[in-house]
């Protein structure tokens, strides 16, 4: 049977309106509308046209209902200019990510979620400290934020949205935390986005943060405190603070230069006047929009081990895509830039990822 919900999902992933899909598939607009409402059962030729227009396999449209994500529970880290079409495309990617996650969990034993509910805590800085204590991190800089979340049971996927309008989003599903990251940004920005979403996961698990500016500010404050602990920054930051000191400090705490400057101002280490001057100089050096001298992008611990194990079994990404009835580009988009280079079995270290028998 043709699945109307999968047609809607495929259309949204390709950022198409019903009219645009109708034109590309050479079908009437009313036909698309009726199909998405489940009022018509298309013939094979119509399904083939839809598959070609959306670049999704024919088999995709006859699978069971995709898992729909409750948009009220999704936290988006994005700019206000994000369009409804961009939002729908990202949410649709989340639905496909859940499908991939189920496929992976049926074959591998992934770490269990080890987050704590901090929704009662009114101070983001205290919440960040409590989570660090729960994970026994002390106050040292975090060497791999992405890997840290994975070892604590957070399911991390990438977003193949080549747009600055969608940064990241997160949600809970079956008591498992999920984070989707836009990896087209700088490595430093992606790390901060990861920490921001972590803040939502622990502080806003029971709320609806998507429309709350206060929740966004709280998640930002959490990320800043989690990545740059107050005592560590105050103890190690020389005075007076110069631009070169900021650029050196950003490398230690693995954040953007602008985030580092803001944290120093927030902690009272630099004055308002000094902060404004630092921002002016950083802008001149292009640090407001990029990181001319940046850090290496973090890579996933879990995805590298999964892909290596599958490679040893001669299971390719093409095989996975076929099993999931997905286009290869959609599968690759969900893990793009996460695993890095997967080493050959002879050179790769042994990990503790367990295959499910």
């Amino acid at each position: 049977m043709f699945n109307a919900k999968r047609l809607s999902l495929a259309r949204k992933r390709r950022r198409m309106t019903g009219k645009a899909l109708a034109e590309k598939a050479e079908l009437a607009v009313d036909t698309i509308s009726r199909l998405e409402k489940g009022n018509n059962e298309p013939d094979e030729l119509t399904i083939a046209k839809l598959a070609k227009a959306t670049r999704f396999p024919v088999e995709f449209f006859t699978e069971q209902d995709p898992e729909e994500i409750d948009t009220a529970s999704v936290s988006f880290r994005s700019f206000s200019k994000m369009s409804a079409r961009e939002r729908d495309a990202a949410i649709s990617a989340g639905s496909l990510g859940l499908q991939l996650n189920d496929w992976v969990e049926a074959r591998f034993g992934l770490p269990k979620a080890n987050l704590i509910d901090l929704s009662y805590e009114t101070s983001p800085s205290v919440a960040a400290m409590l989570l660090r204590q729960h994970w026994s991190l002390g106050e040292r800089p975090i060497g791999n934020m992405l890997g840290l979340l994975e070892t604590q049971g957070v399911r991390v996927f990438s977003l193949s949205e080549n747009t600055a309008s969608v940064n990241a989003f997160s949600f809970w599903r079956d008591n498992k935390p999920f984070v989707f990251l836009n990896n087209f940004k700088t490595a430093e920005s992606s790390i901060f986005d990861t920490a921001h979403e972590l803040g939502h996961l622990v502080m806003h698990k029971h709320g609806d943060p998507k429309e709350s500016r206060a929740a966004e500010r709280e998640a930002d404050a959490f990320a800043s405190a989690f990545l740059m602990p107050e005592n560590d920054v105050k103890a190690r930051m020389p005075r007076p603070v110069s631009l070169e000191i900021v650029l050196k400090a950003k490398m230690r705490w693995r954040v953007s230069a602008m985030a580092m400057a803001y944290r120093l101002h927030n902690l009272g280490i630099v004055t308002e006047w000094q902060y404004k001057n630092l921002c002016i100089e950083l802008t001149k050096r292009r640090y407001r929009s990029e990181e001319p001298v940046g850090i290496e992008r973090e890579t996933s611990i879990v995805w590298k081990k999964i892909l290596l194990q599958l490679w040893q079994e001669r299971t390719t990404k093409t095989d996975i895509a076929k099993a999931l009835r997905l286009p290869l580009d959609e599968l690759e988009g969900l893990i793009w830039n996460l695993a890095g280079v997967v080493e050959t079995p002879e050179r790769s270290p042994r990990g503790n990822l367990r295959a499910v028998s």
Side-chain angles (χ1 to χ4, degrees):
M1 294 289 290
F2 182 79
N3 193 310
K5 292 182 178 180
R6 285 187 170 265
L7 172 59
S8 179
L9 190 154
R11 176 179 61 77
K12 290 176 180 178
R13 274 305 298 145
R14 299 312 187 198
R15 299 192 186 189
M16 289 182 177
T17 62
K19 181 180 179 181
L21 176 57
E23 292 176 352
K24 197 170 184 65
E26 298 180 344
L27 296 169
V29 176
D30 288 347
T31 299
I32 300 298
S33 178
R34 288 195 296 270
L35 288 174
E36 289 202 12
K37 291 177 180 178
N39 295 336
N40 281 17
E41 181 67 25
D43 56 27
E44 291 184 2
L45 178 58
T46 300
I47 297 176
K49 287 183 176 181
L50 293 170
K52 182 178 180 181
T54 58
R55 305 194 308 281
F56 272 72
V58 169
E59 297 80 7
F60 175 83
F61 298 97
T62 57
E63 291 290 304
Q64 63 184 11
D65 286 354
E67 181 162 353
E68 296 182 1
I69 296 174
D70 179 12
T71 56
S73 67
V74 174
S75 157
F76 264 104
R77 174 160 174 75
S78 59
F79 296 118
S80 58
K81 63 182 180 181
M82 179 178 63
S83 67
R85 195 175 302 176
E86 288 171 329
R87 183 187 186 89
D88 287 345
I91 290 291
S92 298
S95 180
L96 298 181
L98 292 180
Q99 186 178 337
L100 174 58
N101 182 76
D102 290 345
W103 188 91
V104 169
E105 289 200 10
R107 291 159 179 79
F108 298 93
L110 302 183
K112 294 182 179 180
N114 183 31
L115 276 64
I116 51 178
D117 187 350
L118 296 170
S119 56
Y120 65 88
E121 182 54 61
T122 59
S123 169
S125 296
V126 173
M129 178 190 68
L130 291 174
L131 186 59
R132 272 181 165 265
Q133 290 177 351
H134 179 67
W135 287 346
S136 302
L137 296 178
E139 295 192 340
R140 67 182 187 272
I142 297 171
N144 186 342
M145 185 67 186
L146 177 59
L148 172 64
L149 262 64
E150 288 182 318
T151 60
Q152 301 301 332
V154 179
R155 277 47 171 166
V156 181
F157 295 85
S158 67
L159 283 170
S160 56
E161 317 301 305
N162 190 8
T163 173
S165 298
V166 182
N167 293 333
F169 67 89
S170 59
F171 57 87
W172 287 86
R173 175 248 204 176
D174 296 336
N175 289 318
K176 296 174 184 176
F178 288 80
V179 170
F180 287 74
L181 297 172
N182 184 340
N183 276 322
F184 284 91
K185 302 175 66 180
T186 66
E188 290 87 348
S189 293
S190 290
I191 290 172
F192 197 90
D193 287 348
T194 306
H196 176 102
E197 294 306 325
L198 177 61
H200 279 310
L201 289 170
V202 296
M203 296 186 69
H204 306 133
K205 180 177 180 179
H206 307 295
D208 178 5
K210 65 184 177 67
E211 298 296 341
S212 171
R213 292 183 179 180
E216 286 300 292
R217 289 194 295 269
E218 288 174 357
D220 273 341
F222 174 94
S224 185
F226 192 82
L227 294 172
M228 297 167 279
E230 179 176 353
N231 291 337
D232 191 39
V233 173
K234 287 183 174 179
R236 293 181 177 273
M237 186 57 57
R239 276 65 157 192
V241 176
S242 65
L243 179 64
E244 297 308 318
I245 287 176
V246 171
L247 295 179
K248 183 177 180 180
K250 74 174 281 298
M251 302 299 287
R252 181 179 194 274
W253 282 285
R254 298 173 60 78
V255 296
S256 70
M258 295 298 292
M260 190 74 244
Y262 181 84
R263 182 61 168 160
L264 295 176
H265 177 240
N266 181 258
L267 294 176
I269 296 174
V270 299
T271 65
E272 180 73 21
W273 181 83
Q274 290 173 317
Y275 174 62
K276 288 181 178 179
N277 283 337
L278 285 172
C279 289
I280 291 172
E281 291 302 314
L282 288 171
T283 300
K284 288 180 180 178
R285 296 198 189 189
R286 307 194 316 279
Y287 277 97
R288 183 173 289 278
S289 58
E290 56 183 296
E291 297 296 318
V293 179
I295 61 174
E296 186 177 350
R297 183 171 293 279
E298 293 183 346
T299 54
S300 160
I301 294 173
V302 168
W303 278 111
K304 181 170 286 190
K305 291 179 179 178
I306 288 173
L307 293 177
L308 176 60
Q309 179 64 37
L310 293 173
W311 186 92
Q312 291 173 325
E313 298 170 1
R314 297 299 185 264
T315 300
T316 66
K317 285 187 286 187
T318 299
D319 296 327
I320 302 173
K322 287 181 178 179
L324 294 172
R325 309 293 194 265
L326 292 179
L328 181 59
D329 71 298
E330 287 296 329
L331 172 66
E332 291 183 328
L334 290 168
I335 59 177
W336 183 80
N337 237 356
L338 287 180
V341 177
V342 179
E343 300 180 24
T344 60
E346 292 78 13
R347 296 191 301 140
S348 62
R350 291 187 178 182
N352 57 2
L353 191 68
R354 176 177 56 83
V356 177
S357 58

